[in-house]
Amino acid sequence: MSLDSAEASPSSSRDWFFPSPSFIHSTSNSPQSPNYPRKFSTIPRHSRSSHTDWKPPKTSTFRSVSSSGSAAYGDPKYGRVRRRIELRRREKMAKQEKEDPVLEQKRDVSKAVSGVKTAIGEMGIRDFGQRVKIRWQMASYIAILITAFGSLVHKNFSLHNQVIDLQDQISTMNIRLQACNTSDTFDTISILQEGDHLSSKGLKILALTVSIALLSMPLFVFKYIDYISKFRSSYNCSEKVSLNKQLEYRVDVLLSVHPYAKALALLVATLMLICLGGLALFGVTDDSLADCLWLSWTYVADSGNHANSEGMGPRLVSVSISFGGMLIFAMMLGLVSDAISEKLDSLRKGRSEVVEQNHTLILGWSDKLGSLLNQLVIANESLGGGIVVVMAERDKEEMELDIAKMEFDFRGTSVICRSGSPLILADLKKVSVSKARAIVVLADDGNADQSDARALRTVLSLTGVKEGLRGHIVVELSDLDNEVLVKLVGGELVETVVAHDVIGRLMIQCARQPGLAQIWEDILGFENCEFYIKRWPQLDGMQFEDVLISFPDAIPCGVKVASRGGKIILNPEDSYVLQGGDEVLVIAEDDDTYAPGALPMVNGASFMHIARPARKPQKILLCGWRRDVDDMIVVLDAFLAPGSELWMFNEVVESERERKLIDGGLDLSRLVNITLVHREGNAVIRRHLESLPLESFDSAKRLPYREAMVTRGQRGSFSRGSWIGEMQQASDRSVIISEILDPRTKNLLSMSKISDYVLSNELVSMALAMVAEDRQINDVLEELFAEEGNELHIRLAELYLHEGEEMSFYEIILRARQKREIVIGYRLENAERAVINPPNKNERRRWSVKDVFVVITEKE
């Protein structure tokens, strides 16, 4: 193998030329070097012999390479694609350079081996004499091979050294080329920086001009508006409202109508200050616009940040922004303070919503509220307290102050006051009316018709609640004639308590039976015993006679019959058998203090003839005038015996009384048992009372007897002829019943020993509270107050036992059942108050004929 063939091989040509990427890129794209190949392709094998004298072409001059390279170097469009092509080309060339010399050597060796094999074959044919010659030939061939191989290795090392030298030269040229390109780039960057500086300077001047213009624009607008207003007022005298006032009015309406207008205006002002401040800082500093906006925000948020500013322009702008930030902060504090004040004022005035359920809601305000709250507090004590919400058209603070003055313990019950009108649905929703378990509508003080009309409108508002009502409505009315209309509007949801009617009936009952007012206080109030209705399945199939003695801590009074639609029957027959679904009406201390027990061993009560006293004509004096006096006259006519007289003593002219009675619905021709006697005068004036025969009036025998005897002993110092002495003598022979509105007055009357009383407001409040807790009790109260059916009576003990007879309370109950009466309590001769639902009912004791018993019996 000759050196020429080795020099002409492609491997040798590739070994000494490795251009750098920048050099290849520049030379392949240079238009000034057309003789230089654009791609470094390998010379075909069949043409190697004809290219033995091939040499690398001359490279272009340094100036042409740098100029063309700089033009291509700055073109970023195809730079990435060209770098990928050159990288792949380098990898392919390096692989071929590693493989070509090895292949050439293998081919040469294979040729030599084939020649040796051929020579050895020929030697086998020849004779042994020629073997020596063949060995010399083989040795010469081997020497030739060794010489050729040595020369090849030498040539390879020399070519490698040349490649290294060329690479060093190429590296030096690339360094020079890059230095030239860098200098050109620096010149370009400096030129661009000068242009950018000029453009940035223009932008900064523009930003500063815009910020100043925007800041001064409101001043020009205000001046222009003022000028337009003056111009219009000078040429148009008919225009009364200037443009300034119109704009002020629009702004006031915007801020008052929209609740978030103030906060939105403050936000817009803050953003405008930040933007204008950022533009101004951008015009006087070298920072970018984003940095200037952030710096403006820091000046607004913290006015102390402007202390680090340097230079007259930045300091002036930063101080202006900080001053605006202080104004913004002051307005924000005022806005927040106003919002907090409005919220506290709303809470103080009771405008917030009540988020409660199963609470008692009281609508309205009257003198009965204190007694009503007291009864509800006592009723909720067994439950650990409750929630009572009061809504009235009064200030919340005044209501809370008045309630705080009420001297009673709330016992865990919370009273929440809210200001509002029960006629407005929004106010009703504010107190969670749909979730209340009972709603009490109080009557207004004043005109009865107006009060009932307002109560009717309130019921209409309650029935119009979209969410519906969970509880029932208890309405206090002033006139009995309006009850039908209210029930017609409210339907099954409404229970009515006619205050005047209840008090009138109580006063009539107390006039006929002195001491009954205290019994009603004990039964209606939650402090002692009251009515409860509950289902007891273990009593099914038992007769009512046995049910009477089945409760050690309660007294059964009636049955709620399921088969008759839940009708409550007071004082049923002994033979009535409880059926499935029936409930028992009892008088007990609380709903969780009683339960039926085993039937006690009670001695059979011996029969005793009980003769009820016959009714006798009575002479009753009625002092004063009430709007419902016509209803009281009807009730008295039903209760009193024939031949009774009703003296009416008041300041109403006698000629007007009959007209008012007829207007009230009284038909004088239908009065059967009583005769009306009219007298005109004032019960407070002494001389008017002296004209009446006070000692002749008798309603019923005064009970208790002991108080009359004690009163006579205490009043012995007064002369018989004095007016006070005559009043005392009259009180000993008759019963004086007075209606008391203020519960504090009863202490004075109890010390005077001359009068019985009826606490009208307190008793009505008790009835309202009881019906609010259980609406079924209203049916019981209506029957006890009505002219027909059952009622409470006070009976002398002599009607049921003999003097000194020893009996248990159960035995007395069974003996009273002979006349179909239910004994619910007693009052001993020397006791001040009656005992309702006494304990230890099976304990025997001695009784006196001067004792009295409280019974439920049919009206006589």
Side-chain angles (χ1 to χ4, degrees):
M1 182 179 293
S2 63
L3 294 175
D4 295 336
S5 62
E7 291 177 358
S9 64
S11 61
S12 61
S13 63
R14 294 188 185 94
D15 290 340
W16 61 266
F17 187 71
F18 292 94
S20 64
S22 60
F23 182 76
I24 294 172
H25 183 75
S26 60
T27 56
S28 61
N29 293 280
S30 176
Q32 299 177 2
S33 56
N35 297 327
Y36 196 84
R38 295 184 180 271
K39 296 184 180 179
F40 295 96
S41 61
T42 306
I43 301 174
R45 185 178 300 274
H46 64 273
S47 59
R48 289 178 182 175
S49 60
S50 62
H51 292 80
T52 54
D53 55 348
W54 179 83
K55 292 182 180 180
K58 294 182 180 181
T59 59
S60 303
T61 61
F62 182 76
R63 184 180 304 274
S64 63
V65 171
S66 61
S67 61
S68 62
S70 62
Y73 183 81
D75 187 5
K77 183 175 181 182
Y78 303 101
R80 184 177 298 178
V81 179
R82 291 172 180 172
R83 282 195 297 271
R84 290 181 181 176
I85 295 174
E86 294 300 332
L87 181 60
R88 292 179 182 176
R89 185 180 299 168
R90 288 183 188 180
E91 292 176 354
K92 186 176 180 180
M93 292 173 62
K95 185 176 181 181
Q96 290 178 357
E97 287 172 357
K98 290 180 181 179
E99 292 178 356
D100 289 345
V102 176
L103 292 175
E104 292 295 334
Q105 292 178 3
K106 286 182 180 181
R107 291 191 186 98
D108 295 339
V109 172
S110 63
K111 289 180 181 181
V113 172
S114 62
V116 172
K117 289 182 179 180
T118 303
I120 292 173
E122 293 177 356
M123 287 175 65
I125 300 174
R126 296 176 182 179
D127 55 358
F128 180 76
Q130 294 179 351
R131 292 181 179 176
V132 177
K133 185 177 178 179
I134 293 173
R135 290 177 180 176
W136 283 105
Q137 290 179 356
M138 291 176 62
S140 61
Y141 288 146
I142 291 171
I144 293 171
L145 290 173
I146 292 171
T147 304
F149 183 75
S151 61
L152 181 62
V153 170
H154 176 73
K155 187 64 175 179
N156 189 15
F157 279 106
S158 62
L159 292 174
H160 181 67
N161 293 331
Q162 292 178 5
V163 169
I164 292 174
D165 294 337
L166 290 174
Q167 288 179 351
D168 293 338
Q169 294 177 5
I170 292 171
S171 299
T172 302
M173 294 174 67
N174 287 334
I175 292 172
R176 294 178 179 177
L177 179 62
Q178 291 177 0
C180 294
N181 291 335
T182 302
S183 62
D184 294 339
T185 302
F186 287 159
D187 295 338
T188 305
I189 290 174
S190 61
I191 294 172
L192 292 174
Q193 287 180 350
E194 291 179 358
D196 292 341
H197 180 70
L198 294 175
S199 61
S200 176
K201 186 175 181 181
L203 289 176
K204 291 181 180 297
I205 295 174
L206 179 62
L208 185 61
T209 304
V210 169
S211 61
I212 295 174
L214 292 177
L215 285 175
S216 59
M217 186 178 295
L219 179 61
F220 290 106
V221 171
F222 291 150
K223 290 293 184 182
Y224 178 75
I225 292 174
D226 185 61
Y227 172 75
I228 293 297
S229 300
K230 293 180 179 179
F231 180 78
R232 289 183 178 179
S233 61
S234 60
Y235 285 94
N236 190 4
C237 299
S238 61
E239 185 178 2
K240 299 181 180 180
V241 181
S242 62
L243 185 59
N244 290 336
K245 293 183 179 180
Q246 292 181 6
L247 291 177
E248 291 177 0
Y249 170 74
R250 297 300 179 185
V251 172
D252 292 341
V253 170
L254 178 64
L255 295 179
S256 60
V257 171
H258 300 282
Y260 300 103
K262 296 179 181 178
L264 185 61
L266 183 62
L267 178 62
V268 171
T270 305
L271 294 177
M272 290 183 62
L273 179 61
I274 293 173
C275 294
L276 293 178
L279 289 176
L281 287 174
F282 181 72
V284 297
T285 61
D286 295 334
D287 297 333
S288 63
L289 182 60
D291 294 338
C292 291
L293 291 174
W294 174 256
L295 193 61
S296 176
W297 157 247
T298 59
Y299 291 160
V300 172
D302 186 3
S303 58
N305 290 334
H306 71 279
N308 298 326
S309 301
E310 296 180 357
M312 181 60 67
R315 288 179 179 177
L316 182 61
V317 174
S318 61
V319 168
S320 302
I321 298 174
S322 300
F323 182 73
M326 288 188 289
L327 293 179
I328 293 292
F329 185 71
M331 289 188 291
M332 183 181 66
L333 285 180
L335 185 62
V336 172
S337 178
D338 291 342
I340 295 176
S341 299
E342 290 178 1
K343 185 62 178 178
L344 293 178
D345 185 66
S346 176
L347 294 175
R348 184 174 61 254
K349 292 184 178 181
R351 298 173 183 171
S352 60
E353 184 177 358
V354 176
V355 185
E356 296 288 348
Q357 58 183 355
N358 294 327
H359 58 284
T360 302
L361 176 61
I362 301 176
L363 301 177
W365 188 279
S366 68
D367 296 336
K368 306 178 185 66
L369 181 64
S371 302
L372 178 60
L373 289 177
N374 188 23
Q375 294 301 318
L376 293 176
V377 165
I378 298 173
N380 293 327
E381 184 180 7
S382 60
L383 302 176
I387 303 296
V388 179
V389 181
V390 181
M391 186 178 74
E393 297 183 36
R394 297 185 61 193
D395 188 70
K396 177 176 177 288
E397 294 179 341
E398 294 180 0
M399 291 189 290
E400 292 176 345
L401 184 61
D402 292 342
I403 293 175
K405 293 179 181 178
M406 300 176 184
E407 299 177 354
F408 59 85
D409 186 10
F410 288 96
R411 307 181 187 185
T413 297
S414 300
V415 180
I416 303 173
C417 298
R418 288 292 181 269
S419 297
S421 174
L423 305 179
I424 301 176
L425 290 177
D427 292 343
L428 291 176
K429 293 181 180 180
K430 183 174 61 177
V431 292
S432 300
V433 64
S434 60
K435 299 179 181 179
R437 64 185 180 93
I439 304 169
V440 181
V441 181
L442 295 179
D444 295 337
D445 298 330
N447 187 275
D449 291 334
Q450 293 180 0
S451 175
D452 291 349
R454 184 174 180 81
L456 180 62
R457 294 174 61 190
T458 302
V459 173
L460 284 173
S461 299
L462 292 173
T463 55
V465 177
K466 295 181 180 180
E467 295 81 4
L469 300 179
R470 178 185 301 179
H472 59 283
I473 307 171
V474 183
V475 183
E476 178 195 0
L477 296 177
S478 300
D479 195 343
L480 185 62
D481 298 335
N482 300 323
E483 182 180 16
V484 178
L485 182 59
V486 173
K487 287 187 175 181
L488 180 63
V489 173
E492 297 180 354
L493 291 174
V494 174
E495 297 289 340
T496 58
V497 176
V498 184
H500 287 187
D501 182 65
V502 170
I503 297 305
R505 293 175 184 272
L506 279 176
M507 293 185 67
I508 293 172
Q509 292 185 7
C510 294
R512 296 173 55 242
Q513 303 179 75
L516 195 60
Q518 180 258 319
I519 306 300
W520 275 112
E521 288 182 19
D522 293 341
I523 294 178
L524 290 178
F526 286 96
E527 293 181 352
N528 299 303
C529 295
E530 53 272 355
F531 290 106
Y532 292 102
I533 300 177
K534 189 178 293 187
R535 163 89 176 131
W536 301 101
Q538 60 268 37
L539 299 180
D540 292 346
M542 186 180 295
Q543 293 185 352
F544 186 75
E545 182 180 10
D546 296 330
V547 174
L548 280 172
I549 58 176
S550 298
F551 291 88
D553 301 315
I555 297 179
C557 302
V559 177
K560 181 181 178 182
V561 184
S563 60
R564 300 180 62 178
K567 182 179 180 181
I568 298 177
I569 300 177
L570 279 175
N571 189 17
E573 296 181 356
D574 291 342
S575 59
Y576 178 80
V577 179
L578 269 69
Q579 305 296 327
D582 289 350
E583 301 179 21
V584 180
L585 172 67
V586 302
I587 295 178
E589 184 178 359
D590 208 341
D591 57 351
D592 57 352
T593 59
Y594 72 99
L599 286 176
M601 297 298 296
V602 180
N603 296 330
S606 60
F607 178 79
M608 181 178 179
H609 179 70
I610 303 176
R612 294 181 179 178
R615 294 192 302 172
K616 297 180 181 180
Q618 299 181 13
K619 190 176 182 179
I620 297 177
L621 174 63
L622 181 59
C623 298
W625 184 271
R626 290 167 57 98
R627 187 178 183 277
D628 59 340
V629 69
D630 54 328
D631 297 327
M632 295 180 64
I633 293 174
V634 173
V635 175
L636 281 171
D637 184 68
F639 280 120
L640 297 179
S644 300
E645 293 183 359
L646 177 62
W647 287 53
M648 301 185 66
F649 181 66
N650 51 69
E651 294 181 316
V652 180
V653 181
E654 294 184 12
S655 59
E656 294 290 332
R657 294 181 187 179
E658 186 175 351
R659 184 184 61 82
K660 288 188 176 182
L661 292 175
I662 295 175
D663 292 342
L666 178 62
D667 189 357
L668 298 177
S669 62
R670 292 186 179 182
L671 297 179
V672 178
N673 298 327
I674 62 174
T675 302
L676 298 180
V677 179
H678 297 283
R679 290 291 185 271
E680 186 177 348
N682 191 345
V684 181
I685 301 176
R686 172 182 173 179
R687 65 177 182 274
H688 292 177
L689 288 175
E690 288 178 348
S691 63
L692 298 175
L694 298 179
E695 67 280 357
S696 64
F697 294 105
D698 55 348
S699 57
K701 187 176 181 179
R702 180 176 174 84
L703 297 175
Y705 175 77
R706 181 185 60 84
E707 292 186 358
M709 301 301 295
V710 173
T711 304
R712 289 194 184 96
Q714 293 177 349
R715 299 168 188 168
S717 59
F718 295 102
S719 62
R720 290 288 180 179
S722 64
W723 176 74
I724 298 179
E726 292 178 0
M727 288 293 296
Q728 291 173 350
Q729 293 176 16
S731 66
D732 291 341
R733 289 189 296 269
S734 61
V735 177
I736 302 177
I737 303 298
S738 61
E739 180 184 1
I740 300 175
L741 300 177
D742 192 349
R744 294 172 293 183
T745 311
K746 69 179 181 179
N747 299 327
L748 301 177
L749 293 178
S750 62
M751 294 298 295
S752 65
K753 303 294 183 181
I754 65 173
S755 179
D756 289 336
Y757 56 86
V758 173
L759 295 172
S760 59
N761 285 345
E762 190 167 358
L763 288 175
V764 172
S765 300
M766 291 177 180
L768 290 172
M770 184 167 289
V771 177
E773 291 295 320
D774 189 354
R775 63 182 304 180
Q776 303 174 102
I777 305 301
N778 196 26
D779 297 334
V780 179
L781 298 180
E782 287 181 354
E783 182 175 349
L784 293 176
F785 291 147
E787 297 88 354
E788 299 178 355
N790 293 271
E791 65 176 347
L792 289 179
H793 262 279
I794 296 179
R795 300 291 195 191
L796 291 174
E798 61 184 12
L799 299 176
Y800 305 98
L801 48 83
H802 301 287
E803 179 66 30
E805 186 176 1
E806 185 176 345
M807 298 177 65
S808 67
F809 190 76
Y810 277 145
E811 293 175 353
I812 296 176
I813 289 177
L814 294 179
R815 182 169 289 181
R817 291 302 296 171
Q818 297 176 8
K819 293 297 182 180
R820 197 176 171 182
E821 295 177 349
I822 300 177
V823 181
I824 63 173
Y826 60 85
R827 177 175 179 177
L828 299 178
E829 177 186 5
N830 298 322
E832 294 184 357
R833 297 185 66 87
V835 178
I836 306 298
N837 182 28
N840 303 322
K841 297 180 179 61
N842 206 20
E843 182 181 352
R844 301 176 65 86
R845 58 173 300 167
R846 292 188 181 274
W847 301 90
S848 172
V849 293
K850 295 181 180 180
D851 299 335
V852 294
F853 292 100
V854 183
V855 299
I856 296 177
T857 182
E858 292 182 349
K859 292 181 173 64
E860 300 175 355

